[in-house]
């Protein structure tokens, strides 16, 4: 259906696209050789697979705690992917990275991590001078004009298991990133080598796109290359569906709010829920210990009531949902976006006043409180 | 901390004068902000910093950042570096409660501070310098305390989160750890230095001389042991108008000697008066028509804008359609650049008005809409502020979730 809008080079993507249209499959395919990862398709695998690597115990043990740079590099070696490694002090920006890795080694990349309103996540990896217009991207993904924003820091830690300044296509090796969509800049294909962080921002590696593709396929991903600068004025309508909509993950991810916001403190992967939000769980004694999965879900529910912005987001999400289900037509999306844009700030202001009033009443009651009878 | 401008009239000045008690431009022209930045030694807030803020906070930067209202800083980049590493900071701002009537210019630093609190998820302390006003404006102690409480209500109405905000008045709070820091700071500043920085003379009473440490020490986390116990290295970011810079230059000078981090600043330009010619218009508390007050009705606002807002449009419609408006001096467009959220709409208005296709009346109408909306929202929020709420904000209590 969308084939006219997809680059003929993306042959693999076309097949996976067919799968998406037919059902509820996620954009990344799982290998049928893999006993531990879930199998959810019976189509013959489309990628090259180097036998020993994924079955090694090393590979599985660390799945839950996030791949390290060394594990990744040894993976690349086992897959016989050629790469060059450059070590340098930790860098947080492309400008800094450029000081240590010269462009003769390959093309530097800028890597962006986005989230949409329905808690679906995207990694966009592009050449440094490719213009990535969030508004255009959002429209091409079928999310309306303001549909995506930079993902919060917690998501970086929780889903990609990397630190700030370290977003990289390689992050999809983590199980926690299985629902994150990865879009690569078409222009990478014209480069001999491209440079990425191998899960750590004190190392950079350069490798060819075929090397990258081989790696991605080994972890069950179809490499998706997109012309990020095409279609700069997308017209999305009945006869022109958004050209990148196939790459929107079919599952959303809820990032639990941990009380102590330390990036390394997760022992369990985030819960994977369907597009509906987790219902806030009313609990008499919310436990605050990190690593306790049950309390983690409760905390994410609590934060909806603690944080005025999340509260308003919840209200507007439910409103949008109802709108989408009741009203048909192309303008619904635009209307929902307008509602959200215009009402968010007003509602947040109201929510803050509500919160302040409730707190003050409680505070006052506290001052009048009589001590408990012994 | 006094944010409204120009109570004293500047004498003929061949140089521009900017300090906490006087702001005037050279020869009655516009304030030269570049020169000010040079003179004070602070930095311009450039695009790259604004982009960084957007990246770190995952949201659009505040309209005041986008439009260059907050345009200068000291060490804001260091605060962002630390934030990226996971080291948080707290916000400190304040008000000198000299009058009950607040106008929109007074709200600007609070609107911006509220955005910073939400975007970075950090706590905030707000100082009400009732002692300063008692001394400088010769108010009685009771009156200045009363004004402090009244102003606190307007500040709360800006939408600060009570679980992350501590408001205090000097008369109530000075003492304990706060006073200890004041003495430490005072020991580091000689009389001569104070006279140099603040322009004190032998005629000024000693109350004034001893005031600067009061405004300096909220920059040090140890001044608030109930909020930041054990967090002596916590950084402080101070959003303020650029005329407050001298207080904090002194503070930054003293901080390392006391073993504290230097507070960072993020500074705004001045909000023009309605009748301003150029940017030197004096907003005077005695002239109610020089500003839009938060107590103005919709009718007042419409009236003030229509009658008193200085227009850059031409004298006749024909001439206007031919030449277009002078956007440099036009007050409605300037006000819109402060308060109109939509960048695209502002650009459109500037273009159409500047090229003569849009008339002054339309611009003023749009401005009236925007301001009426703001004032209405503020009034509603203000009405919801009870005495109990003020007590809650001003209670000396811990803020357990201040970084969430």
């Amino acid at each position: 259906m969308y084939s006219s809008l997809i680059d003929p080079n993306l042959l693999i993507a076309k097949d996976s696209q067919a799968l998406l249209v037919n059902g509820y499959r996620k954009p990344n395919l799982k290998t049928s050789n893999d006993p531990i990862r879930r199998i959810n398709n019976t189509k013959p695998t489309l990628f090259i697979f180097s036998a020993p690597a994924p079955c090694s115990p090393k590979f599985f043990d660390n799945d839950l705690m996030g791949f390290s740079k060394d594990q990744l590099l040894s993976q690349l070696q086992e897959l016989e992917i050629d790469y060059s490694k450059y070590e340098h002090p930790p860098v947080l920006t492309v400008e800094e990275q450029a000081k240590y890795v010269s462009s003769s080694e390959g093309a530097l990349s800028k890597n962006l991590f986005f989230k949409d309103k329905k808690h679906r996540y995207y990694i966009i990896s592009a050449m440094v001078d490719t213009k990535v217009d969030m508004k255009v991207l959002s429209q091409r993904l079928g999310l309306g004009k303001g549909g995506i924003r930079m993902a919060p820091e917690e998501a970086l830690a929780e889903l990609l298991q990397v630190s700030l300044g370290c977003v990289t296509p390689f992050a999809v090796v983590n199980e926690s990133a299985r629902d994150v969509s990865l879009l690569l800049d078409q222009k990478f294909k014209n480069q001999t080598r491209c440079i990425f962080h191998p899960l750590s921002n004190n190392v950079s590696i350069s490798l060819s796109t075929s090397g990258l593709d081989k790696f991605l396929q080994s972890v069950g991903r179809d490499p998706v290359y997109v012309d990020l600068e095409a279609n700069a004025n997308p017209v999305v309508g009945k006869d022109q569906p958004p050209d990148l909509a196939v790459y929107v993950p079919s599952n959303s991810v809820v990032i639990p709010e941990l009380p102590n916001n330390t990036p390394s403190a997760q022992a369990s992967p985030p819960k994977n829920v369907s597009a509906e939000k987790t219902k806030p769980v009313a609990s008499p004694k919310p436990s605050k210990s990190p690593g306790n999965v049950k309390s983690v879900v409760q905390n994410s529910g609590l934060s909806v009531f603690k944080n005025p912005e999340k509260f308003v987001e919840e209200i507007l999400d439910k409103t949008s949902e109802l709108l989408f289900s009741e009203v048909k037509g192309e303008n619904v999306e635009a209307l929902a976006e307008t509602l959200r844009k215009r009402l968010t700030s007003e509602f947040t202001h109201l929510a803050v006043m509500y919160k302040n009033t409730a707190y003050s009443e409680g505070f006052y009651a506290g001052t009048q409180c009589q001590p408990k009878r012994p | 901390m006094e944010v409204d401008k120009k109570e004293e009239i500047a004498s003929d000045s061949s140089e521009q004068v900017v300090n906490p008690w006087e702001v005037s431009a050279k020869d009655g022209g516009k304030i030269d902000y570049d020169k000010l930045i040079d003179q004070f030694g602070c930095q311009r807030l450039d695009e790259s910093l604004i982009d960084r803020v957007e990246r770190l906070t995952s949201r659009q930067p505040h309209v005041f950042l986008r439009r260059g209202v907050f345009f200068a800083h000291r060490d804001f980049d260091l605060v962002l570096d630390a934030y990226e590493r996971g080291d948080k900071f707290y916000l400190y701002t304040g008000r000198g409660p000299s009058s009950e009537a607040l106008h929109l210019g007074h709200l600007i630093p609070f609107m911006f501070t509220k955005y910073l609190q939400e975007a970075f998820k950090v706590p905030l302390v707000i100082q009400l310098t009732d002692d300063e006003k008692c001394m400088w404006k010769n108010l009685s102690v009771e009156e200045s305390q009363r004004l402090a409480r009244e102003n606190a209500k307007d500040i709360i109405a800006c939408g600060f989160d009570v679980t992350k905000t501590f408001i205090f008045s000097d008369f109530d709070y000075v003492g304990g750890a706060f006073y200890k820091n004041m003495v430490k700071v005072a020991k580091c500043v000689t009389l001569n230095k104070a006279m140099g920085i603040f322009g004190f003379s032998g005629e000024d009473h000693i109350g004034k001389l001893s005031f600067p440490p009061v405004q300096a020490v909220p920059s040090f986390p140890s001044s608030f042991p109930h909020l930041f116990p054990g967090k002596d290295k916590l950084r402080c970011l101070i959003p303020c108008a650029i005329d407050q810079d001298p207080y904090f230059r002194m503070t930054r000078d003293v901080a390392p000697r006391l073993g504290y981090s230097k507070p960072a600043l993020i500074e705004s330009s001045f909000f023009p008066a309605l009748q301003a010619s150029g940017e030197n218009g004096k907003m005077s508390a005695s002239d109610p028509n020089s500003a839009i007050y938060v107590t103005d009705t919709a009718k007042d606002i419409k009236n003030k804008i229509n009658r008193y807002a200085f227009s850059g449009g031409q004298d006749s419609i024909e001439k206007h359609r031919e030449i277009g408006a002078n956007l440099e001096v036009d007050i409605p467009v300037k006000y819109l650049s402060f308060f109109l959220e939509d960048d695209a709409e502002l650009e459109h208005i500037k273009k159409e008005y500047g090229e003569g296709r849009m008339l002054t009346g339309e611009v003023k109408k749009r401005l009236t809409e925007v301001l009426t909306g703001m004032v209405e929202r503020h009034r509603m929020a203000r009405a919801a502020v009870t005495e109990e709420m003020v007590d809650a904000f001003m209670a000396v209590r811990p803020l357990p979730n201040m970084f969430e």
Side-chain angles (χ1 to χ4, degrees), chain B residues 126-295:
Chain B
I126 301 181
Q127 178 182 44
L128 294 167
T129 57
D130 40 7
D131 52 348
E132 184 202 1
K133 291 307 157 191
C134 178
M135 287 193 277
W136 262 270
K137 300 286 177 187
N138 201 16
L139 302 169
S140 72
V141 169
E142 292 75 21
E143 180 61 7
S144 50
Q145 282 188 290
R146 186 189 73 81
L147 287 176
R149 252 187 101 87
E150 284 308 304
N151 282 186
K153 292 178 187 165
D154 280 291
I155 292 173
I156 292 171
C158 291
F160 292 107
D161 187 330
V162 67
T163 60
K164 297 185 189 168
T165 307
F166 174 54
I167 302 181
F168 65 100
S169 89
D170 290 341
F171 277 133
D172 287 339
Y173 190 67
V174 168
F178 194 92
Y179 183 62
K180 290 177 188 167
N181 276 340
M182 276 170 57
V183 170
K184 287 189 197 173
V185 167
K187 282 169 73 173
C188 293
V189 183
T190 62
L191 181 57
N192 285 331
K193 193 131 189 235
M195 289 166 84
I197 299 176
F198 300 110
F200 298 140
S201 72
E203 300 303 305
D204 288 313
H205 58 69
I206 55 178
K208 289 187 180 179
L209 283 177
S210 56
F211 178 73
V214 180
Q215 187 155 321
V217 309
S219 336
F220 306 136
S222 54
S223 305
F224 304 102
H226 64 287
L227 294 179
F228 309 122
K231 294 213 187 91
D232 281 0
K233 288 289 169 218
L234 188 64
R235 285 170 182 272
C236 178
L237 175 64
I238 308 176
C240 60
I242 196 163
D243 63 347
Q244 300 296 308
D245 197 85
Y247 278 118
F248 303 114
R249 273 207 300 279
M250 176 199 80
T251 312
R252 284 169 59 89
D253 197 42
V254 163
R257 285 188 266 167
L258 300 181
Y260 293 138
S261 329
K262 292 188 192 179
L265 278 97
I266 181 165
E267 296 159 308
S268 70
S269 55
F270 305 118
F271 188 61
L274 274 178
Q275 304 110 321
S277 43
E279 276 177 69
N280 188 35
K282 303 178 201 306
M283 263 202 297
S284 165
S286 56
D287 179 5
N289 292 322
S290 64
I292 307 287
Y293 288 86
V294 299
T295 43

Side-chain angles (χ1 to χ4, degrees), chain B residues 33-57:
Chain B
Y33 287 108
D34 286 317
K35 203 153 171 219
L36 202 53
I37 288 183
D38 268 339
Q39 186 193 336
F40 282 177
C42 42
Q43 263 100 34
R44 262 226 178 250
L45 238 183
D46 56 26
E47 270 308 307
S48 68
L49 269 180
I50 301 180
D51 290 338
R52 210 173 156 196
V53 168
E54 177 161 19
R55 190 169 51 83
L56 283 174
T57 58

Side-chain angles (χ1 to χ4, degrees), chain A residues 108-126:
Chain A
L108 285 171
S109 63
K110 65 183 173 192
N111 295 273
L112 307 160
F113 189 39
F114 294 129
K115 149 182 198 284
D116 69 20
K117 301 226 165 95
K118 295 200 173 175
H119 304 280
R120 297 176 296 211
Y121 295 83
Y122 310 80
I123 297 176
I124 311 291
S125 184

